[in-house]
Amino acid sequence: MSQATLRVQKISGHAGGVPGKDTQREYTVSKLIDTTTCIGCKACEVACMEWNDLPFGQTVFDNTYQTMPETRWNYWNLILFNEHEREDGALMWLMRKNQCMHCADPGCLAACPADGAIVQYTNGIVDFQQANCIGCGYCITGCPFDIPKMNPETHRVFKCTLCADRVSEGLEPACIKSCPTGCLHFGSKDDMKELAEARAKQLRDHSNFPHAGVYDPPGVGGTGVIYVLHDASNPEIYGGLPKNPHVPWSVKLWKGPLKWLGNVAMIGGLIGLFVHYLRYGPKAREEEDLASRPEGGRT
Amino acid sequence: MSQAEQIIPHGHVLRYTLRERLTHWVAGFSYVYLLLTGLAFWSPWCFWIAVILGGGQVSRMLHPWAGLIFVGAVLYMYGMWAGQMRYTDIDKAWWKAVRYYSTNQDDKMPPAGRYNAGQKFLFWGFFWGGILLLLSGVVLWFPEYISWNLRFLRYLAIIVHPAAALFTIGLFMIHLYMGLFAERGAFGSVIRGDVSMAFAKRYHPGWYQEITRQAAAPRK
Ligand code: HEM
Ligand code: SF4
Ligand code: SF4
């Protein structure tokens, strides 16, 4: 535990500084998902459930190649399937591995009121600590990717951990290990960015995907999960991947100006009332009080 | 004359019936609980309040239920008092003269009835604040059931709920100040129900006239 706190760089709902900030040297990690070589086999979905000991649940068949409509509190990794017709008439099957994006500026963490319920490790992984979670669901509102999911029975929120336990032991996440086509990679953010850009360039130059590019949205400070997309100008076609995700404005307003305004107003109000009492005191009690007490207050 | 009124001390008059006093305290205690747990979620610097009150999980579980009790009491007050809370011309004059009120020069104030304009504002503030808190509170209660397409409701609720709470906190601080410190005698009126005739005459001259006229009228 003591080591774990040293590895933390951001803590939700925490008064004061972060104990272990900048005490450890670690590089930011990243998962690279190349949607152009994903075949939708769902080996990563199974590997995720296996490694994290998640219980088996019902799948939902909807006549497509998608396991269920969206991730669940106990199903963190889902291949989203979309059919897309390109302008030149080419039909495309888009497969996107959907999970927590491990944002550099996580909206979930910004929104969370419980001390230590969400932490961001020095390597960039955003992890929920269910023991500290109070089940308010603020993180659901804060996340621009619709990722945190509530366990209705325990009222705690769960999501992909980027296999923080494996990564801290120098292993790559379980999903990476299982991918048969090699469309998943894991390493330092810098290395993954380089690899992704090289692949996107290859797609642009040699494979008739002029808009191919890397998805690493700056609105959330970049993400710990980056995509190579055939068409980076239109990420929405990949199961609604937001084009320009950011922490919702209202969450920023709430945790920023509103908080300051409210605190100043409350503390100012208390001081104001106290000073009013010193200056004016109580109102005269009975009529006879009036004669003996000067009207108004005392300076 | 009811039982309660007969045991009022000499020179005093009943201001709040037991029903009114009970309702007031149901609202009061539930509000204080809501305020304390709400502040705990509001700021990390106040999270210790939730720890004292049984932990974050317990506070999260009970806060919405206390909210329902609070709003229930406020709605009941609406039934009891709304009729007496209508704005009148005297209230307009009262607001114009409010600086005399706040500097304890009460004899320069226009004659208030059973409630002065400030108290009426408090009532309507808590009523509308309570409605807003309820609507936004229900969204905050079940965020996981608000679909992605309706997420604007969640974005709205996390602003409206604390904003409405702050508004009522302002009212609440003034309410407490008036009732506990500024208007001596007012606190007794929500405990045992009675105030002195002098209190009635000084702060609610209109109401005083009403009740003395009643008392003077011949019994049938
Ligand atoms: C009317 C019914 C009410 C309901 C259903 C309700 C429900 C909720 C819920 C579900 C939350 C989310 C946080 C949590 O519980 O963990 C919350 C937060 C809060 N509530 Fe209420 N509440 C109600 C009334 C009130 C009242 C009367 C106050 C008065 C002070 C209040 C003050 C707060 C505050 C300050 C927060 C924290 C907001 C923030 O995190 O910025 N609530 N409420
Ligand atoms: S539900 Fe989400 S925001 Fe609320 S305490 Fe748990 S992790 Fe934090
Ligand atoms: S994707 Fe959502 S849950 Fe994951 S780190 Fe970003 S804001 Fe948090």
Side-chain angles (χ1 to χ4, degrees):
Chain A
M1 193 61 209
S2 59
Q3 279 218 334
T5 46
L6 286 185
R7 280 196 240 112
V8 165
Q9 60 178 357
K10 279 186 195 163
I11 305 183
S12 66
H14 191 68
V18 178
K21 195 165 190 293
D22 297 335
T23 56
Q24 275 208 339
R25 180 166 39 88
E26 270 198 86
Y27 52 82
T28 308
V29 297
S30 176
K31 168 158 69 186
L32 166 58
I33 300 170
D34 183 357
T35 59
T36 65
T37 49
C38 174
I39 55 170
C41 72
K42 294 157 185 70
C44 55
E45 290 185 8
V46 176
C48 176
M49 294 181 74
E50 281 292 324
W51 176 259
N52 293 298
D53 286 333
L54 298 173
F56 290 103
Q58 287 261 313
T59 59
V60 182
F61 182 62
D62 63 352
N63 287 312
T64 75
Y65 291 98
Q66 195 168 315
T67 313
M68 54 185 73
E70 53 179 27
T71 58
R72 293 180 184 153
W73 75 266
N74 54 7
Y75 206 89
W76 301 338
N77 175 15
L78 180 69
I79 302 291
L80 300 182
F81 170 80
N82 285 93
E83 276 181 359
H84 175 66
E85 198 178 319
R86 233 168 45 161
E87 274 147 31
D88 62 9
L91 180 69
M92 298 170 68
W93 279 8
L94 305 178
M95 307 280 182
R96 177 170 69 88
K97 180 180 177 310
N98 187 34
Q99 75 280 284
C100 172
M101 300 293 285
H102 297 275
C103 313
D105 292 332
C108 55
L109 191 147
C112 177
D115 197 352
I118 305 179
V119 295
Q120 185 182 54
Y121 300 120
T122 323
N123 61 11
I125 294 180
V126 178
D127 202 10
F128 284 21
Q129 308 288 325
Q130 280 77 17
N132 298 331
C133 168
I134 63 171
C136 64
Y138 282 0
C139 50
I140 299 173
T141 301
C143 173
F145 296 98
D146 196 17
I147 289 301
K149 297 282 151 67
M150 185 84 76
N151 176 341
E153 265 162 55
T154 64
H155 234 76
R156 305 292 162 92
V157 172
F158 294 80
K159 69 161 189 66
C160 153
T161 66
L162 204 65
C163 288
D165 47 352
R166 293 175 57 92
V167 173
S168 69
E169 298 299 326
L171 300 170
E172 48 187 15
C175 53
I176 312 283
K177 271 228 119 35
S178 70
C179 181
T181 69
C183 79
L184 301 181
H185 301 263
F186 184 77
S188 77
K189 176 86 187 253
D190 293 338
D191 288 352
M192 292 304 106
K193 263 313 261 283
E194 217 179 290
L195 194 61
E197 292 293 355
R199 170 63 181 157
K201 186 172 186 318
Q202 191 182 35
L203 287 163
R204 284 192 302 268
D205 294 350
H206 306 295
S207 299
N208 190 21
F209 290 113
H211 302 299
V214 180
Y215 185 84
D216 180 24
V220 290
T223 48
V225 172
I226 60 178
Y227 291 108
V228 173
L229 305 176
H230 322 78
D231 185 359
S233 64
N234 196 6
E236 299 277 352
I237 57 176
Y238 296 84
L241 187 63
K243 185 160 191 158
N244 181 22
H246 51 78
V247 180
W249 297 117
S250 85
V251 171
K252 287 186 190 162
L253 176 71
W254 165 43
K255 293 289 176 178
L258 186 63
K259 205 121 291 193
W260 279 106
L261 219 70
N263 290 341
V264 168
M266 283 191 284
I267 293 169
L270 282 179
I271 294 172
L273 288 175
F274 186 69
V275 172
H276 183 272
Y277 194 78
L278 297 184
R279 170 74 174 75
Y280 294 104
K283 291 178 177 295
R285 188 198 304 269
E286 311 279 322
E287 282 181 345
E288 51 269 34
D289 267 9
L290 280 176
S292 55
R293 290 173 86 238
E295 272 294 342
R298 299 173 206 161
T299 36
Chain B
M1 245 184 200
S2 76
Q3 195 75 24
E5 282 169 86
Q6 279 162 14
I7 50 167
I8 297 291
H10 182 68
H12 282 232
V13 59
L14 186 76
R15 184 161 167 80
Y16 292 118
T17 64
L18 181 62
R19 194 163 69 104
E20 288 175 309
R21 278 157 17 224
L22 271 175
T23 312
H24 175 267
W25 286 112
V26 171
F29 281 110
S30 56
Y31 185 83
V32 169
Y33 180 79
L34 287 161
L35 176 63
L36 292 175
T37 49
L39 282 177
F41 308 134
W42 162 260
S43 167
W45 297 94
C46 298
F47 198 69
W48 56 271
I49 303 175
V51 175
I52 288 178
L53 293 176
Q57 286 91 11
V58 172
S59 302
R60 168 58 174 85
M61 206 174 80
L62 295 185
H63 178 103
W65 291 105
L68 293 188
I69 294 174
F70 172 74
V71 171
V74 168
L75 290 180
Y76 195 75
M77 284 178 181
Y78 180 86
M80 291 192 303
W81 293 337
Q84 306 168 36
M85 296 291 177
R86 286 205 196 95
Y87 267 81
T88 64
D89 288 341
I90 292 180
D91 294 326
K92 256 184 227 149
W94 194 95
W95 277 119
K96 274 207 189 100
V98 69
R99 77 199 136 94
Y100 297 120
Y101 186 81
S102 63
T103 52
N104 293 355
Q105 306 175 58
D106 289 283
D107 43 354
K108 293 192 187 151
M109 295 303 292
R114 187 175 185 212
Y115 295 104
N116 67 35
Q119 290 170 309
K120 290 179 183 176
F121 184 78
L122 179 91
F123 174 83
W124 291 113
F126 265 111
F127 177 73
W128 290 112
I131 302 276
L132 285 179
L133 283 162
L134 178 69
L135 293 177
S136 54
V138 169
V139 174
L140 293 183
W141 200 349
F142 305 106
E144 67 270 32
Y145 296 115
I146 308 269
S147 78
W148 183 245
N149 295 328
L150 293 177
R151 61 190 183 280
F152 74 93
L153 285 177
R154 278 189 258 138
Y155 299 158
L156 208 61
I158 51 156
I159 298 294
V160 170
H161 200 76
L166 283 168
F167 172 64
T168 64
I169 288 169
L171 294 176
F172 182 68
M173 289 199 297
I174 296 172
H175 180 60
L176 235 59
Y177 180 71
M178 299 306 303
L180 286 177
F181 301 112
E183 267 192 22
R184 288 173 300 180
F187 190 61
S189 72
V190 281
I191 300 293
R192 297 308 313 277
D194 59 304
V195 293
S196 70
M197 288 308 258
F199 177 98
K201 192 171 175 187
R202 180 155 178 68
Y203 297 122
H204 303 278
W207 180 57
Y208 175 78
Q209 282 201 342
E210 215 175 282
I211 51 181
T212 46
R213 211 181 300 125
Q214 263 172 23
R219 249 184 230 156
K220 286 186 186 142

